[in-house]
């Protein structure tokens, strides 16, 4: 059995996530304390006792989800399951930062600050209401690319997330994405669902945010990860710090090639995926990508106990 650790992206956040981990494992609580200190605010209080609307704000959700993932990672390590037991790490969008922190390439404090900056930059890149995203269900990547091209009509409309064989997300100008949703249904999509997001992520409209991240990442120490990262925009392994820095900038405007990333890891021998952190969205995608792959969630103290007991 060859294992990969994968880390969730935005949308997995819930009030109370990671609290039981922090109560059960001092090393997990230390992660939340470190993130609070790095940001100069009690983000952990928002995560555990706040309201979901505030937590869901991009600038909060991104460091919060990373903190929860790293808390779960530290709990695993406390039980003797270390990162060097896995073949690869990967993460969906912001989860790529969690993966790099888990693999020791970026410090937790720097990762928290980078994700706060990333969240703010992505939110401010496009005025609220001018961009949108939609999940196209039942069409493959090439079909959705054709839909996006037809819908663009001079505006930005791109395939942003290739999540699994049944789901591709388009992103861009609001009117263009709405056109894409209608065209997709005409082309045989089972559904086209406008997503409740505050900005059009992973498309050319995010270029101002990419510029901000290029500057922010230039000042951060990045080392080679303990295990290779399967990068979102390349869907292949990378270990060189300069290359990682470059790909993290490209990721802001580039597509999240999640389906290909999972296939890449499977082709390299991975048979089991552990989803480290909140939710189980990635596990659902992995099952749709390849039924022969297994997955398990590691986001609670009970999950950690189940693994170590087994």
């Amino acid at each position: 059995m060859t294992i990969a650790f994968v880390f969730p992206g935005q949308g997995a956040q819930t009030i109370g996530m990671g609290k039981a981990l922090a109560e059960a494992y001092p090393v997990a609580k230390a992660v939340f304390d470190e993130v609070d200190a790095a940001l100069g605010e009690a983000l952990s209080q928002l995560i555990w006792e706040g309201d979901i609307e505030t937590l869901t704000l991009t600038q909060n959700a991104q460091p919060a989800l990373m903190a929860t993932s790293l808390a779960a990672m530290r709990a695993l390590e406390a039980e003797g399951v270390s990162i060097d037991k896995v073949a690869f790490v990967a993460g969906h969008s912001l989860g790529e930062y969690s993966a790099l922190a888990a693999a020791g390439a970026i410090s937790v404090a720097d990762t928290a600050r980078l994700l706060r900056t990333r969240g703010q930059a992505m939110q401010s890149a496009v005025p609220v209401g001018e961009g949108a995203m939609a999940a196209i269900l039942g069409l493959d990547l090439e079909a959705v690319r054709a839909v996006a091209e037809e819908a663009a009509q001079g505006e930005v409309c791109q395939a942003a997330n290739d999540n699994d064989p049944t789901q591709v997300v388009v992103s861009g100008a609001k009117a263009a994405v709405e056109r894409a949703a209608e065209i997709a249904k005409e082309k045989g999509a089972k559904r086209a669902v406008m997503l409740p997001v505050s900005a059009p992520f992973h498309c050319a409209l995010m270029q101002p945010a990419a510029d901000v991240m290029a500057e922010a990442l230039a000042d951060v120490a990045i080392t080679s990860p303990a295990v290779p990262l399967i990068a979102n925009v390349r869907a292949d392994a990378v270990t060189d710090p300069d290359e990682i820095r470059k790909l993290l900038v490209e990721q802001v405007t580039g597509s999240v090639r999640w389906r290909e990333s999972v296939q890449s890891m499977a082709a390299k021998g991975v048979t089991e995926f552990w989803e480290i952190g909140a939710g189980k969205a990635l596990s659902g995608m992995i099952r749709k990508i390849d039924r022969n792959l297994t997955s398990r969630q590691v986001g609670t103290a009970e999950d950690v106990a189940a693994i170590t007991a087994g």
Side-chain angles (χ1 to χ4, degrees):
M1 180 178 67
T2 301
I3 298 170
F5 284 177
V6 295
F7 297 82
Q10 209 160 327
Q13 65 274 1
T14 57
I15 295 298
M17 62 183 183
K19 187 175 184 181
L21 277 171
E23 291 170 348
Y25 293 93
V27 288
K29 184 175 187 305
V31 171
F32 288 104
D33 291 343
E34 188 173 358
V35 169
D36 286 354
L39 298 179
E41 64 183 67
L43 183 66
S44 59
Q45 188 174 346
L46 170 62
I47 298 168
W48 298 336
E49 300 168 4
D51 65 274
I52 190 64
E53 290 80 10
T54 306
L55 180 61
T56 298
L57 292 173
T58 302
Q59 66 189 50
N60 293 327
Q62 295 199 20
L65 285 161
M66 182 278 297
T68 303
S69 287
L70 266 291
M73 189 71 228
R74 296 291 180 260
L76 277 177
E77 290 168 349
E79 297 290 358
V81 182
S82 61
I83 195 77
D84 57 14
K85 287 188 167 66
V86 307
F88 301 99
V89 293
H92 193 284
S93 191
L94 84 89
E96 190 156 271
Y97 285 79
S98 305
L100 287 165
I106 310 175
S107 74
V108 170
D110 280 342
T111 306
R113 287 188 286 263
L114 284 169
L115 286 173
R116 170 54 57 82
T117 298
R118 183 177 183 267
Q120 291 171 333
M122 292 172 89
Q123 184 60 66
S124 62
V126 179
V128 173
E130 290 190 12
M133 299 180 78
I136 309 299
L137 308 179
L139 295 181
D140 65 16
L141 177 62
E142 290 310 312
V144 173
R145 280 178 172 160
V147 165
E149 187 175 344
E150 183 179 339
Q153 297 180 21
E155 295 183 296
V156 171
C157 189
Q158 295 171 234
N161 300 351
D162 179 17
N163 286 334
D164 64 48
T166 69
Q167 183 192 119
V168 181
V169 174
V170 294
S171 181
K174 186 170 187 286
V177 171
E178 289 171 343
R179 286 193 295 271
E182 291 307 311
I183 293 167
K185 285 184 272 192
E186 293 167 9
K187 302 282 188 185
K190 291 179 181 175
R191 280 197 301 156
V193 183
M194 299 299 291
L195 299 179
V197 295
S198 53
F201 306 130
H202 299 291
C203 75
L205 295 176
M206 287 287 110
Q207 187 58 49
D211 295 341
V212 169
M213 291 312 297
E215 191 172 327
L217 283 157
D219 295 332
V220 169
I222 301 178
T223 60
S224 294
V227 296
L229 170 79
I230 302 296
N232 280 189
V233 296
R234 183 174 291 174
D236 206 356
V238 59
T239 57
D240 177 71
D242 290 335
E243 193 69 11
I244 288 169
R245 200 185 309 271
K246 173 173 165 285
L247 294 175
L248 287 174
V249 176
E250 289 181 16
Q251 187 224 59
V252 180
T253 56
S255 297
V256 176
R257 296 167 61 184
W258 188 251
R259 176 183 58 84
E260 292 174 274
S261 294
V262 171
Q263 290 172 335
S264 174
M265 288 182 271
K268 292 172 169 58
V270 173
T271 55
E272 184 167 323
F273 292 81
W274 293 16
E275 185 169 1
I276 312 293
K280 53 185 179 181
L282 298 185
S283 297
M285 293 175 196
I286 289 163
R287 280 193 296 274
K288 290 174 181 172
I289 292 165
D290 188 338
R291 290 285 180 184
N292 295 316
L293 302 173
T294 60
S295 58
R296 66 192 306 169
Q297 290 80 50
V298 188
T300 67
E302 289 80 9
D303 293 338
V304 175
I307 284 169
T308 53

